Amino acid sequence: MMPLQTGRIVFLCLAAISLGAALRTVTARRLVSATLCLGITGVAIAGLLLLFAAPWMAGVQLFVATGGVVALLITEITAKEAAPESPRRSVQPGAAALIAGGLFGVLVWMIQQVPLLGTPNGPVIADGTAQLGAALTDPLRHLLTFQAVGLLLLVTLLGGVYLGRGR
Amino acid sequence: MASVPLVWILTLGAAIFSVGVYGVLVRRRLIGLLICAMLMFNAVVLTLVAFARAGAAPLDVTGEIFALVVCVLATATVALGLALVKALRQMNETATAVPFARQRYDVDADR
C-alpha cells in the first residue's frame, strides 16, 4: 500500500495532467493535436486506475480506450487534409463555457450532498484479475454480460464494415 | 486505493466530463465531436471504477465489470462514428445526398 501523502501527491499530479490535457483537447484547433491530447488524458486516467488498484481496468483503458481509439482517430484524420478547424462555432464559446461551468457546479453540489463520500477507500482485491475473469465466465454471474458485449462488438464490426465500404 | 478521498476523484471526473461537454458544444467537425465524447466516456469510466473500488462492496468485481462494459461501449461508439464520418464524406462527394452534416456540423469544414 502506498503511503498516504505519496498517494495523494501522485493523484494530484495525474489529475493535473489529465485535466490540462482535457482542456487542450477541446481548445486545440487542429484535430491531430486534440487527438494526441486525448491520448495523454487517457494515459493519465489509466495511471489513476492503476493508483486505485484496478490494474486490469488500467490495461483496458490504456490499450483499448486510449491506444486503439487514438490510432483510429489519427488514421481517419490524417487520411484527409488535417486543416485547422474553422473559427466559426456551433455554439458560442462563452455560452458553452457557461453551460459546462453550470454542469460542473451542479455535479460538485450533488457530490457534496452524498454523506458517504468522505469514507476512506476500501481494501485491495487479492488477485483481482483472476477474480474478474472467473466472474466473467461464471454462468451464474456475468457470463451473459460477457456474451452481450461480444455480440455488441460483432454488430459494431459488421456495421463499421457496411458503412465504411467503398462505392 | 492509495487513500485518496473519493470526493477528489469524483470532482476530477465531473471536471473532465464538463470539459467534454464544452467541447461537444463548440466543436463543429464530427470527428471533433467524437473526440470530446470519448473524453466524457473517460471521465465516466474513472468515476465508475472509483465507485467500484470505494463503494459498499469493494471486494466485489461487479463494479469493475460495469466499467468494462462502458469502456467497450465507448470504443464501439467511436468505431461506428468513424465509419459514419467516412460514409458521410462519400455521400457529400457524390453531390446527390442531402448534406445534412453541413446544416450544423461539417464533416470537413475547411475542405
Side-chain angles (χ1 to χ4, degrees), chain A residues 25 28 76 84-85 88 121, chain B residues 4 25 27-28 86 89 110:
Chain A
T25 300
E76 181 65 22
E85 199 168 34
R88 187 164 60 89
N121 307 297
Chain B
V4 179
L25 290 175
R27 287 273 183 206
R28 283 179 59 237
K86 189 171 186 292
R89 272 193 186 130
D110 300 303

Side-chain angles (χ1 to χ4, degrees), chain B residues 43-110:
Chain B
V44 169
V45 167
L46 175 69
T47 305
L48 285 176
V49 173
F51 270 126
R53 298 292 301 119
L59 292 177
D60 190 6
V61 293
T62 304
E64 286 191 42
I65 289 176
F66 189 55
L68 175 68
V69 171
V70 171
C71 216
V72 171
L73 280 176
T75 309
T77 303
V78 172
L80 268 186
L82 286 176
L84 273 174
V85 169
K86 189 171 186 292
L88 282 173
R89 272 193 186 130
Q90 290 173 349
M91 286 168 64
N92 282 345
E93 281 174 0
T94 60
T96 55
V98 179
F100 81 93
R102 295 201 183 278
Q103 294 173 7
R104 181 157 181 251
Y105 301 114
D106 285 351
V107 179
D108 290 305
D110 300 303

Side-chain angles (χ1 to χ4, degrees), chain A residues 1-4 7-8 11-12 15 18-19 22-29 31 34-35 38 41-42 45 48-49 51-54 56-57 60-61 64-65 69 72-73 76-77 80-86 88-93 96-97 99-100 103-104 107-108 111-112 117-125 128 131-132 135-136 141-142 145 149 152-153 156 159-160 163-167, chain B residues 1-36 38-43 45-47 49-51 53-55 58-65 67-69 71-80 82-91 93-94 102-111:
Chain A
M1 178 66 74
M2 199 175 286
L4 181 75
R8 291 188 176 190
F11 172 81
L12 289 176
S18 60
L19 199 54
L23 283 170
R24 184 68 187 141
T25 300
V26 298
T27 54
R29 288 197 60 199
L31 287 180
T35 308
L38 174 69
T41 308
I45 287 179
L48 285 172
L49 298 182
L51 185 69
F52 303 157
W56 203 80
M57 275 306 300
V60 170
Q61 169 74 17
V64 179
V69 168
L72 268 179
L73 287 169
E76 181 65 22
I77 290 168
K80 292 285 177 180
E81 184 186 356
E85 199 168 34
S86 166
R88 187 164 60 89
R89 305 288 187 185
S90 54
V91 177
Q92 288 300 316
I99 293 170
L103 176 67
F104 177 65
L107 289 174
V108 169
I111 290 168
Q112 299 293 334
L117 296 185
T119 53
N121 307 297
V124 176
I125 305 176
Q131 284 196 31
L132 201 63
L136 277 174
R141 296 182 70 187
H142 300 293
T145 309
V149 167
L152 173 79
L153 285 177
T156 303
L163 287 172
R165 74 190 192 285
R167 304 195 176 182
Chain B
M1 205 160 130
S3 300
V4 179
L6 187 55
V7 175
W8 293 14
I9 306 165
L10 296 184
T11 305
L12 174 66
I16 295 176
F17 188 85
S18 304
V19 170
V21 168
Y22 172 82
V24 167
L25 290 175
V26 298
R27 287 273 183 206
R28 283 179 59 237
R29 286 192 187 178
L30 290 176
I31 293 184
L33 292 179
L34 279 176
I35 291 172
C36 295
M38 199 61 208
L39 202 59
M40 294 161 69
F41 270 121
N42 279 340
V45 167
L46 175 69
T47 305
V49 173
F51 270 126
R53 298 292 301 119
L59 292 177
D60 190 6
V61 293
T62 304
E64 286 191 42
I65 289 176
L68 175 68
V69 171
C71 216
V72 171
L73 280 176
T75 309
T77 303
V78 172
L80 268 186
L82 286 176
L84 273 174
V85 169
K86 189 171 186 292
L88 282 173
R89 272 193 186 130
Q90 290 173 349
M91 286 168 64
E93 281 174 0
T94 60
R102 295 201 183 278
Q103 294 173 7
R104 181 157 181 251
Y105 301 114
D106 285 351
V107 179
D108 290 305
D110 300 303
R111 199 172 47 154

